[in-house]
Amino acid sequence: MAFNPDEWITDSNECFHINLYRTTNDNEPVRILDDAFHPSYTYTLIASDEKIAGYKNPRIELDFRANDLKPKLKMSFDQAIDLQKLDPELTQVDLTPELFRQHLPESIDEASKAPPAADWKPPGACLDTFALHGKQYEIWKASMTDPAARRIWNNMKILVLLFIEGATTEGLEDEDTLDRWSLYLLYDVTPLADAALSPYTLAGFSTSYRSWVFPTFEIARATDQLPSPPESANGHVGRYAPPRLTQDPKTFLFNEKINLLETPSRERISQFLVLPPYQGQSLGSRLYNTIFQDLVAMPFIYEIPVEDPSEDFDAMRDYSDITYLRTLPAFQSLSIASTLPPELLRKDAPIPRDQILANGTDLEQLRHEAKIVTRQFYRMVELHLLSTIPPNHRNRARITRKGKASNENDRKYYFWRLVLKHRIYSQNADTLDQMEDSAERVQKIESAVDNQQEEFEERLEGLEKRQRWAVADAPAPSGPRGKRKRIVVEDDEDDEWEDMEEASVASSKRMRR
């Protein structure tokens, strides 16, 4: 019989089954999900093409204990062949536990003899408790220096590679920086019928990393490291005298102790995941909001970036950020300028972005208060201001007279589009400037503005739906899954820290859900 290679090739995502279990008093693990779930990515763990070759009916079962994520691994197959004998160029995966050894704790082969106590608690402090759709949840935060938190992280870190595209766990193995890492844990704590079992079931988690930033005067003042300049009747500001440090006369060491973790910093939200059985229930938003509120309350945190956010995370983050910003009176009162001085509208004049968006408000001061990174903050300003324009005036056909339109809302929409053109051009100037045909360049920008407006319209519609669901306490949808329309030729040339633009540093893609 001729050899059929297709019979010996299996999709590594489909043959990988993940479940949660509890250890009962009989010491027998019991799976708690009726249906196991599959990973989204296995290319970093198994093979770059996400195929397992050389086996018939391979099956990988990876179970995690519900509360502390202690893993159990079982691998099986019906039959195996040596592909090297058929073709030396074929690559065969070694389907043994050694395949995942570096991604799982050393204790994986040690059976868990005793179930966790009914009064077991996660490490760290509980930040929030809430009820949602008939279930009880808690969100906990612990430092990675906590041994219990480290054990949970080591148990479950493989999930980062299985569900977050392009993710790594680098940096979380360095003992010197563990105090800069925090672990946020989202638990389902709905009471169980068996009161002897721990009700804690992990539903999601996130990490964050604190990075020191050079304390310019603006950053130091924004993080309460400097007092605001005193006001005087004539408008002059007095000279600021910084506090003096004192030294020990013998050792010459400073007497004042400085906690480096409480100096001006950025706190980067890093690996972020809600497990598939708990997705589509607004739990990602609850976890993100809790993390953000925890960090924004720290005076020394300058801003809160996100590491390489995914499209789904971006959508969820937009809903959360705009909701938070609208609780700030200064943001809520923002409005688009309806008239501008003629000299600002000359063709040779730069687009008056601040005059259009700010309309008398210091947006940078507001951004510092919100602690949202530059690009995300101004996107939310644009999103909010679009919502202030009546829907029937958000049409290019109505702005033929541009800034001279008789209708106030038509003028506002024209100015709003000018601001978007300014941002999109600034972000893609290198690519656009290479186009020799100016008409093509204009068309690209107009198309990009249309696409961005379409995305904003979808966000506003989704926000209204979420607000209705919140009132009715009905299950929320899983969020937009469609591919976002790309804005102009390339996206921003951001680094892995997202919004590290010169403006945010000098004065100053993506995590996956």
Side-chain angles (χ1 to χ4, degrees):
M1 183 179 295
F3 172 73
N4 184 0
D6 292 339
E7 295 181 358
W8 300 86
I9 298 176
T10 308
D11 187 301
S12 56
N13 292 333
E14 294 180 359
C15 73
F16 208 126
H17 304 267
I18 302 173
N19 212 317
L20 302 175
Y21 73 91
R22 287 192 179 87
T23 306
T24 67
N25 289 322
D26 297 327
N27 296 330
E28 290 295 330
V30 176
R31 288 174 176 159
I32 63 177
L33 299 177
D34 293 334
D35 298 313
F37 53 97
H38 304 286
S40 301
Y41 314 99
T42 51
Y43 59 85
T44 57
L45 297 173
I46 297 178
S48 59
D49 60 356
E50 298 190 326
K51 302 292 183 183
I52 296 178
Y55 301 89
K56 277 190 177 181
N57 299 322
R59 185 177 180 86
I60 304 171
E61 297 178 359
L62 182 59
D63 297 344
F64 295 90
R65 190 156 64 183
N67 66 320
D68 61 3
L69 279 293
K70 184 175 178 61
K72 286 169 51 64
L73 178 65
K74 179 182 178 182
M75 310 176 76
S76 63
F77 50 85
D78 292 344
Q79 192 176 351
I81 59 172
D82 189 347
L83 293 179
Q84 294 293 308
K85 293 181 180 179
L86 299 174
D87 186 344
E89 294 184 359
L90 294 176
T91 301
Q92 185 164 10
V93 173
D94 180 19
L95 203 57
T96 68
E98 289 299 321
L99 184 62
F100 305 110
R101 182 66 64 184
Q102 64 175 315
H103 305 292
L104 293 171
E106 296 179 357
S107 60
I108 186 171
D109 295 328
E110 300 174 8
S112 181
K113 297 299 183 182
D119 60 353
W120 182 92
K121 295 289 185 182
C126 183
L127 299 183
D128 190 23
T129 62
F130 60 94
L132 189 65
H133 312 322
K135 290 188 175 183
Q136 302 292 322
Y137 294 94
E138 294 177 0
I139 297 177
W140 291 69
K141 177 188 180 182
S143 168
M144 280 294 193
T145 57
D146 186 324
R150 287 289 293 169
R151 282 194 295 271
I152 292 178
W153 169 252
N154 287 328
N155 286 342
M156 70 181 182
K157 65 182 180 181
I158 191 173
L159 292 172
V160 171
L161 304 178
L162 293 172
F163 289 99
I164 303 177
E165 186 179 5
T168 69
T169 57
E170 294 178 4
L172 281 153
E173 311 296 332
D174 188 351
E175 296 289 337
D176 294 334
T177 60
L178 286 183
D179 57 349
R180 293 187 172 272
W181 285 95
S182 295
L183 179 64
Y184 294 86
L185 300 167
L186 167 65
Y187 278 100
D188 176 354
V189 292
T190 305
L192 303 174
D194 187 348
L197 298 176
S198 170
Y200 282 88
T201 301
L202 189 83
F205 63 88
S206 178
T207 60
S208 68
Y209 180 77
R210 187 168 301 169
S211 176
W212 178 82
V213 292
F214 186 81
T216 64
F217 276 103
E218 180 174 345
I219 291 176
R221 187 164 289 119
T223 53
D224 292 344
Q225 305 294 308
L226 291 177
S228 297
E231 297 182 357
S232 62
N234 59 11
H236 294 293
V237 176
R239 181 178 296 239
Y240 169 67
R244 291 186 175 275
L245 299 177
T246 60
Q247 291 178 289
D248 184 285
K250 294 182 179 180
T251 65
F252 297 103
L253 296 176
F254 289 115
N255 295 319
E256 291 75 16
K257 301 297 181 183
I258 299 176
N259 185 347
L260 296 180
L261 294 177
E262 295 185 359
T263 55
S265 305
R266 286 184 176 89
E267 185 99 1
R268 180 188 72 202
I269 297 175
S270 190
Q271 297 94 348
F272 186 102
L273 176 66
V274 174
L275 298 184
Y278 288 94
Q279 291 178 6
Q281 304 173 47
S282 294
L283 290 171
S285 296
R286 296 300 293 256
L287 178 57
Y288 173 81
N289 290 341
T290 300
I291 295 172
F292 192 91
Q293 291 302 324
D294 176 54
L295 298 178
V296 81
M298 300 178 187
F300 50 85
I301 297 296
Y302 174 61
E303 59 186 10
I304 307 168
V306 175
E307 181 181 356
D308 202 17
S310 69
E311 293 179 2
D312 285 347
F313 186 95
D314 275 338
M316 179 273 293
R317 178 193 190 189
D318 285 351
Y319 293 130
S320 295
D321 285 352
I322 193 65
T323 301
Y324 159 66
L325 286 168
R326 284 177 170 177
T327 65
L328 305 179
F331 186 89
Q332 202 170 31
S333 64
L334 290 178
S335 62
I336 305 174
S338 60
T339 57
L340 290 173
E343 61 270 17
L344 295 181
L345 296 176
R346 294 199 317 266
K347 288 186 177 182
D348 59 346
I351 292 177
R353 178 182 176 87
D354 289 343
Q355 289 87 341
I356 293 172
L357 292 180
N359 205 10
T361 301
D362 187 339
L363 289 179
E364 272 302 290
Q365 181 179 341
L366 181 56
R367 187 182 74 82
H368 292 326
E369 178 185 350
K371 302 190 179 181
I372 296 177
V373 288
T374 302
R375 179 169 177 262
Q376 175 68 0
F377 175 79
Y378 283 99
R379 284 184 69 255
M380 293 300 96
V381 170
E382 294 163 0
L383 173 63
H384 173 68
L385 292 179
L386 178 64
S387 72
T388 66
I389 302 173
N392 60 331
H393 290 270
R394 305 172 194 167
N395 191 315
R396 264 204 279 175
R398 298 186 61 95
I399 57 174
T400 54
R401 297 190 62 204
K402 302 181 179 180
K404 297 180 180 179
S406 59
N407 187 285
E408 179 184 31
N409 288 313
D410 291 340
R411 295 196 301 272
K412 287 183 176 182
Y413 179 62
Y414 169 70
F415 293 147
W416 181 85
R417 286 184 66 91
L418 276 181
V419 167
L420 244 64
K421 291 177 184 179
H422 178 270
R423 173 169 70 83
I424 290 170
Y425 177 80
S426 299
Q427 293 171 352
N428 299 275
D430 290 343
T431 301
L432 291 168
D433 288 345
Q434 293 175 12
M435 296 182 181
E436 296 181 0
D437 188 343
S438 59
E440 180 185 3
R441 184 162 55 243
V442 170
Q443 189 277 330
K444 283 284 187 183
I445 296 176
E446 291 287 356
S447 177
V449 172
D450 290 340
N451 290 339
Q452 180 66 90
Q453 180 178 338
E454 182 180 346
E455 180 185 284
F456 282 164
E457 300 273 11
E458 291 174 356
R459 293 288 195 270
L460 292 174
E461 181 180 352
L463 186 63
E464 291 177 2
K465 290 180 179 179
R466 285 178 173 234
Q467 290 170 341
R468 290 197 297 268
W469 288 322
V471 173
D473 192 28
S478 57
R481 293 287 179 183
K483 187 174 182 63
R484 175 188 297 180
K485 297 178 187 287
R486 181 171 291 277
I487 299 175
V488 174
V489 190
E490 295 288 343
D491 199 356
D492 300 44
E493 296 180 358
D494 298 331
D495 62 13
E496 64 178 9
W497 274 55
E498 187 198 48
D499 292 281
M500 301 287 285
E501 298 173 346
E502 290 183 2
S504 67
V505 174
S507 43
S508 155
K509 175 175 137 340
R510 299 181 199 229
M511 180 160 245
R512 313 291 185 229
R513 267 208 279 182

